[in-house]
Amino acid sequence: MTPAVWPTLQLRSLEGLLMVVKANIDTAGLETNASNLALKGLVPKVNAPLVQRLEDAGAIIIGKTNMPDLAGSLTGYNPGEGFDHTWNPHALGYGPGGSSSGTAAAIAAGMAPCGLGSDTAGSLRIPAENCGVAGMRPSKCRYEQAGCVPLGRPDCMGAMGLTVADISLLDAVMAGEEGCDDIATATGAPADLSGLKVCMPSAWVGENISAGHKAALDLAVAALTEGGATIVDDPNFVSFDKMLNEAAPRLYPMGGPATNLRELQAYLDMHKEELPEVTVEKVVSSIHWTNPIISMTLLGDQPKRVAGMSADEYQAEWEPLLADKAALEAALEAYMTENGIAFLLTPICVAPPFRNASGPRSFAAMEAACAAAKDSGNFGARVGTFFPLYMPNEIAPIKLKMLDLDVPSITIPTAARHSVEGATLPAGILIWGKPRSDRQLLALGMALEKKLAPH
């Protein structure tokens, strides 16, 4: 009898990999409501290009994940009608951070090994740290960014995973770099860190860092040093930081062009067939009053001014910003190269996660604090009332200053823990690379996580 001839099975690089996707990223056949009441019922006909790349490589999207309204919060709090809050799997009394809250919580809870989120001012990196997983904001130019409900110009889709190695696998697919030589190098995750010079600038660490974050940084310094790296607080960093501070008023969210309304309109135009009755005004009016970031980024004078510009006026508005971006990226690249700095090491936050339900820093307390500004019609009053409670965090301006730059950074979990009112929560670190050095950053992350991660 002639033996049966079995066909050769060609497995794709992500064959059968289960993934979750944040609710603001287009997925064909699955609702993309961005946790906004006006966008409920939006079921895109096609995937976002980034999602399509993953599915073409064999990934299986098993569901969409919760988030705050329009990704406008660094918590998992969503009081809008028909929505719910996201909880931290490590301590259910606490939030997971945001705005990619559900993706981080789902991975930490074991629902899926990895997923997609988006990041404007920490929305991948903060929930990753709070939930004890890895999260990377890539260089914005690295992936195609279409098909995501916009919050602002620096929006950037990216990956989360149980480990940095998970993110590295997804990154290779999303960037179309499978098979490149440096992919093999990064996948090998060289354990030899000798010769690396890492800057931990005191200006970006701050004095009010929590005990958990200090312990996480101490672990990272020990692991790097043990591997042969040198950790410095380089005085030359001050010159780049000064340049960044001087440019900050011209950058997002303070400066222009604040494209939020304009970009939201463009997204709705793409989905006229699915939601013909939805307008920008309906989306804005449906935002819950406790969301001051959305108030600031959508209802201010600058977004309205930019929304009314002609195409030529809009292009002219961009030119000085692009010059600022190019100059800052070149300055960071020059500083790191000339001083032999390979990476920057900082915390992602300086405070532990918030409580969900009770306590002086709970979401309920913050909502009560905002109540006085509810009917004032002054979004600035809401922001001024809310922010001291919402972000008592001197590290926040760092993220805001770096938003417009194509600089990758990654949150890596550690064995360090926050101890807050009897709860034990993860504490991680943040590593920054040179502009567009994503694969090198992932290689370092994989080398470090073997020494830092509790699993």
Side-chain angles (χ1 to χ4, degrees):
M1 175 182 286
T2 304
V5 178
W6 295 93
T8 301
L9 185 61
Q10 296 293 329
L11 294 179
R12 295 167 291 178
S13 56
L14 303 181
E15 199 71 63
L17 179 67
L18 304 183
M19 293 187 62
V20 291
V21 174
K22 189 176 179 179
N24 63 341
I25 299 172
D26 284 354
T27 43
L30 293 175
E31 187 170 275
T32 301
N33 57 43
S35 290
N36 177 269
L37 190 60
L39 295 177
K40 273 197 165 186
L42 171 56
V43 180
K45 296 185 180 300
V46 298
N47 287 323
L50 205 56
V51 173
Q52 191 61 52
R53 273 185 181 260
L54 293 166
E55 287 197 338
D56 288 345
I60 300 170
I61 309 303
I62 61 170
K64 303 297 282 287
T65 54
N66 196 17
M67 57 182 283
D69 194 351
L70 289 185
S73 171
L74 299 181
T75 73
Y77 183 59
N78 189 353
E81 181 182 349
F83 297 102
D84 204 349
H85 314 314
T86 312
W87 309 87
N88 194 315
H90 294 271
L92 292 181
Y94 289 80
S99 64
S100 301
S101 316
T103 297
I107 294 169
M111 297 178 184
C114 54
L116 284 186
S118 64
D119 189 309
T120 301
S123 288
L124 279 159
R125 297 160 290 174
I126 291 173
E129 196 249 355
N130 286 358
C131 291
V133 302
M136 180 176 175
R137 177 187 166 94
S139 301
K140 187 183 176 186
C141 59
R142 185 162 179 78
Y143 311 143
E144 188 168 351
Q145 296 295 329
C148 184
V149 181
L151 171 63
R153 185 180 66 245
D155 293 345
C156 187
M157 288 185 279
M160 287 184 184
L162 279 172
T163 68
V164 178
D166 297 326
I167 294 176
S168 181
L169 178 65
L170 298 181
D171 172 81
V173 171
M174 294 189 294
E177 292 184 356
E178 294 173 283
C180 294
D181 290 342
D182 66 328
I183 299 299
T185 301
T187 304
D192 182 13
L193 304 174
S194 60
L196 281 183
K197 189 176 179 183
V198 177
C199 178
M200 188 169 73
S202 55
W204 282 21
V205 173
E207 298 179 355
N208 298 325
I209 187 170
S210 72
H213 287 112
K214 184 179 186 306
L217 284 176
D218 287 346
L219 287 174
V221 169
L224 286 162
T225 303
E226 181 184 338
T230 303
I231 313 298
V232 298
D233 179 9
D234 182 16
N236 295 313
F237 181 79
V238 174
S239 60
F240 168 71
D241 194 37
K242 181 172 184 265
M243 184 177 181
L244 197 57
N245 285 326
E246 290 172 349
R250 302 189 296 277
L251 301 177
Y252 182 91
M254 289 75 76
T259 60
N260 312 69
L261 287 175
R262 194 180 188 97
E263 290 173 354
L264 181 57
Q265 183 63 64
Y267 179 86
L268 293 178
D269 289 344
M270 286 174 52
H271 294 285
K272 272 294 182 189
E273 186 177 345
E274 295 100 324
L275 281 181
E277 303 301 320
V278 175
T279 62
V280 167
E281 290 72 25
K282 284 185 178 180
V283 173
V284 172
S285 65
S286 73
I287 297 166
H288 195 269
W289 64 270
T290 55
N291 199 330
I293 295 183
I294 297 293
S295 297
M296 178 173 67
T297 56
L298 287 178
L299 303 180
D301 292 337
Q302 179 77 328
K304 293 176 182 175
R305 180 182 69 83
V306 173
M309 287 179 174
S310 68
D312 288 344
E313 289 171 333
Y314 181 62
Q315 183 61 34
E317 185 89 1
W318 267 100
E319 290 177 5
L321 171 72
L322 293 175
D324 273 341
K325 278 171 52 66
L328 287 168
E329 288 166 11
L332 179 59
E333 180 92 42
Y335 157 72
M336 295 180 76
T337 300
E338 291 167 9
N339 293 279
I341 303 295
F343 302 96
L344 304 176
L345 169 64
T346 71
I348 179 61
C349 300
V350 297
F354 292 88
R355 287 190 65 84
N356 265 344
S358 62
R361 288 186 64 234
S362 68
F363 298 138
M366 289 186 282
E367 185 169 339
C370 283
K374 176 181 177 181
D375 300 317
S376 69
N378 182 347
F379 70 85
R382 299 182 194 174
V383 174
T385 303
F386 191 79
F387 258 56
L389 288 166
Y390 173 73
M391 200 185 301
N393 184 342
E394 66 183 27
I395 215 73
I398 295 169
K399 297 191 292 290
L400 293 179
K401 289 186 289 188
M402 294 286 276
L403 288 183
D404 275 310
L405 306 189
D406 286 329
V407 177
S409 59
I410 190 165
T411 296
I412 304 174
T414 77
R417 291 291 182 266
H418 298 290
S419 181
V420 187
E421 300 174 10
T424 301
L425 294 146
I429 60 166
L430 185 68
I431 303 282
W432 306 76
K434 293 180 181 179
R436 295 167 288 281
S437 64
D438 300 69
R439 291 312 299 185
Q440 292 89 338
L441 181 63
L442 285 165
L444 175 70
M446 283 188 283
L448 269 182
E449 73 179 348
K450 295 179 179 181
K451 304 174 184 295
L452 297 175
H455 50 74

